[in-house]
Amino acid sequence: MEGFTYRGGTLHAEEVSAVELAERYGTPLYVYSRGYLRHQFRRIREAFAEIDPLICFAVKANTSAAVIHTFAAEGAGADVVSGGELYRARRAGIPANRIVFAGVGKTAEEIEYAIQEEILGFTVESEAELHRISECATRIGGTARVDIRVNPDVDPKTHKYTSTGKKENKFGVDLERAVKAYELAARLPGVEIVGLHMHIGSPVMSIDPYVEALERVAPVVRELKAAYPTLRHLDIGGGLGIRYRDEQEDLDPARLAEALLPTLRDLGLKVLLEPGRFLTGNAGILLTRVQYLKEGPEKTFVIMDAAMNDLIRPALYEAYHKILPVRETSDTLTGDLVGPVCESGDFFAQNRELPAVQAGELLAVMSAGAYGYVMASNYNSRGRPAEVMVSGGTAKLVQRRETWDNLVAGETIPAWE
Ligand SMILES: Cc1ncc(COP(=O)(O)O)c(C=O)c1O
């Protein structure tokens, strides 16, 4: 299925016209397809059905309560990386015993909150963190279940900012040090070893790095499993890439499962996956209205009402997002698609063949459902956009647009005298 298609020459989110959405809720506007969220979740579930994995939605990709709740209703768990994400996941209906908590800098406060919630496990990123987790568990009289994140030193062939499983990255513990880290965990009070974790990066467009990482990790898993009978999980992370460009394909979960299942079956552990982008990326678009066309001395600028504060991926990673006209046209213009923020990095497309649009017309920035709204900011004192979820012919507002009052709500001007 596709979440966004043309019907009668107009882009629709499922059965609702994007023109209608823009009129009803204003722009810039994030629009999510509930049907596509579920479709993507089920693709992974079905691919790995034989081993009945726990699919923990990587909440960092999209923290909308409506999105998290959609996955909770499918039986998902959550992968969180902060106390705030844990709070959101719980509030949106994910059971604590399906939540794993990663991240290299967990604070004592976050750790104690997670122990009290009785989450499924901490994804531990260093020996220092193991000590802190043990101290926290002892202090509050709880038990912290831990997976140690091993760094398989595999090149996921992605952007340098989103590669996480190579030696030079800050994540996890080197494979050579992993056994020692488990020995430490076994000695520490308040800590129960339950699993092993790996995540190689994002977005990964081929299955080879997963196969390579699992091959490297499997002997260590076998050794650890023999040493620690409580070890019962193997978390293979997320990172499954999606189609951003026409010539790309989603990393096919069926092919991934086919390649990994022989080893996973043989290891005999409960498998966890942590997809984020795969579940939400192409389930969301950013709708924006053209403000002005400006002829520069060298090129044409199409100036929209959305900006880098709404979607920072092009500025941050030079990420490519397809741009579609809401009213279908085959006419084009070549130029830059930019926002109103005072930065030259505020662009969505550069020197690209774009739909020929006039001021007042609508465009859709595609594949904006992952790492979109979650990275939005108030830069240039712009309120963050609204979010809408569509299911069939029904659209619902799931996050209202921020107002100028919201911008200043936490501020005070001190009285110095
Ligand atoms: C530990 C971990 N799991 C899962 C993810 C999700 O990655 P993706 O959204 O590409 O699936 C990330 C992304 O940074 C991560 O660091």
Side-chain angles (χ1 to χ4, degrees):
M1 99 160 262
E2 291 295 335
F4 305 94
T5 51
Y6 286 100
R7 294 177 180 218
T10 302
L11 189 68
H12 279 60
E14 301 197 14
E15 292 158 33
V16 183
S17 145
V19 173
E20 210 183 300
L21 290 170
E23 275 162 14
R24 209 186 312 163
Y25 301 105
T27 53
L29 180 71
Y30 275 96
V31 182
Y32 305 119
S33 156
R34 179 164 168 260
Y36 195 77
L37 292 168
R38 300 204 292 187
H39 169 75
Q40 289 295 85
F41 185 87
R42 289 171 190 182
R43 278 177 76 190
I44 299 185
R45 188 172 59 200
E46 277 153 31
F48 286 87
E50 184 198 318
I51 55 166
D52 188 26
L54 176 61
I55 304 171
C56 294
F57 168 49
V59 165
K60 66 174 79 66
N62 190 316
T63 52
S64 157
V67 169
I68 301 172
H69 183 75
T70 302
F71 296 128
E74 295 289 306
D79 159 45
V80 303
V81 290
S82 68
E85 283 192 359
L86 173 55
Y87 175 76
R88 281 182 187 273
R90 293 288 295 120
R91 188 174 161 271
I94 307 269
N97 65 3
R98 293 192 186 163
I99 297 180
V100 288
F101 186 174
V104 296
K106 302 176 191 79
T107 65
E109 191 188 357
E110 289 175 318
I111 292 168
E112 288 180 13
Y113 169 43
I115 295 173
Q116 271 150 356
E117 285 286 303
E118 300 187 5
I119 63 164
L120 178 61
F122 288 91
T123 304
V124 176
E125 309 252 5
S126 67
E127 290 84 351
E129 190 194 331
L130 269 178
H131 282 288
R132 182 177 284 177
I133 288 176
S134 168
E135 282 156 23
C136 290
T138 313
R139 188 159 49 234
I140 63 171
T143 302
R145 286 171 282 278
V146 302
D147 282 12
I148 294 181
R149 176 171 182 176
V150 299
N151 187 334
D153 194 24
V154 165
D155 186 355
K157 301 199 170 48
T158 182
H159 191 278
K160 62 178 190 284
Y161 288 177
T162 54
S163 151
T164 61
K166 286 165 73 183
K167 263 207 164 91
E168 67 262 34
N169 300 131
K170 68 181 174 184
F171 302 97
V173 174
D174 297 349
L175 213 43
E176 303 83 60
R177 257 178 35 215
V179 173
K180 283 254 168 303
Y182 275 91
E183 283 167 12
L184 171 65
R187 283 198 306 274
L188 290 172
V191 171
E192 186 193 6
I193 294 169
V194 292
L196 182 136
H197 176 282
M198 65 174 198
H199 170 78
I200 50 178
S202 166
V204 186
M205 300 308 295
S206 112
I207 60 174
D208 302 342
Y210 287 99
V211 173
E212 197 184 330
L214 187 60
E215 265 170 24
R216 287 196 186 181
V217 162
V220 180
V221 173
R222 287 194 183 93
E223 189 182 335
L224 293 169
K225 202 179 154 198
Y228 306 106
T230 54
L231 190 131
R232 49 191 182 264
H233 301 152
L234 174 60
D235 189 331
I236 59 171
L240 285 74
I242 57 164
R243 186 190 69 245
Y244 282 101
R245 298 171 186 262
D246 282 341
E247 62 272 24
Q248 290 177 315
E249 291 286 347
D250 286 3
L251 188 126
D252 181 2
R255 283 191 52 234
L256 183 66
E258 195 182 296
L260 301 185
L261 275 176
T263 309
L264 294 177
R265 236 183 262 126
D266 182 56
L267 291 173
L269 296 168
K270 175 80 178 175
V271 171
L272 275 62
L273 291 116
E274 299 175 349
R277 186 189 316 270
F278 183 88
L279 297 180
T280 62
N282 277 323
I285 61 171
L286 176 61
L287 270 186
T288 175
R289 205 177 277 282
V290 180
Q291 298 297 297
Y292 303 101
L293 261 69
K294 178 173 173 178
E295 289 302 330
E298 292 187 358
K299 54 177 147 179
T300 303
F301 293 98
V302 179
I303 304 173
M304 318 193 297
D305 63 2
M308 65 189 291
N309 75 294
D310 303 306
L311 178 68
I312 202 173
R313 296 190 70 256
L316 189 61
Y317 310 122
E318 294 173 345
Y320 178 94
H321 285 266
K322 198 161 114 179
I323 309 295
L324 289 183
V326 165
R327 297 255 193 234
E328 210 169 11
T329 172
S330 51
D331 297 341
T332 59
L333 64 82
T334 301
D336 285 13
L337 194 62
V338 300
V341 160
C342 299
E343 298 275 347
S344 296
D346 181 24
F347 63 86
F348 290 90
Q350 285 180 310
N351 302 317
R352 190 154 352 140
E353 200 169 294
L354 297 164
V357 277
Q358 300 294 326
E361 289 185 315
L362 292 163
L363 290 173
V365 183
M366 305 306 288
S367 312
Y371 307 102
Y373 187 91
V374 283
M375 288 197 191
S377 77
N378 292 128
Y379 187 40
N380 277 201
S381 287
R382 292 166 50 84
R384 282 178 295 178
E387 296 177 291
V388 162
M389 186 176 284
V390 173
S391 185
T394 308
K396 302 222 192 253
L397 184 69
V398 297
Q399 171 70 59
R400 64 172 167 68
R401 186 175 303 284
E402 280 185 335
T403 63
W404 291 342
D405 279 340
N406 294 143
L407 296 181
V408 297
E411 282 188 296
T412 49
I413 300 174
W416 295 113
E417 295 310 319

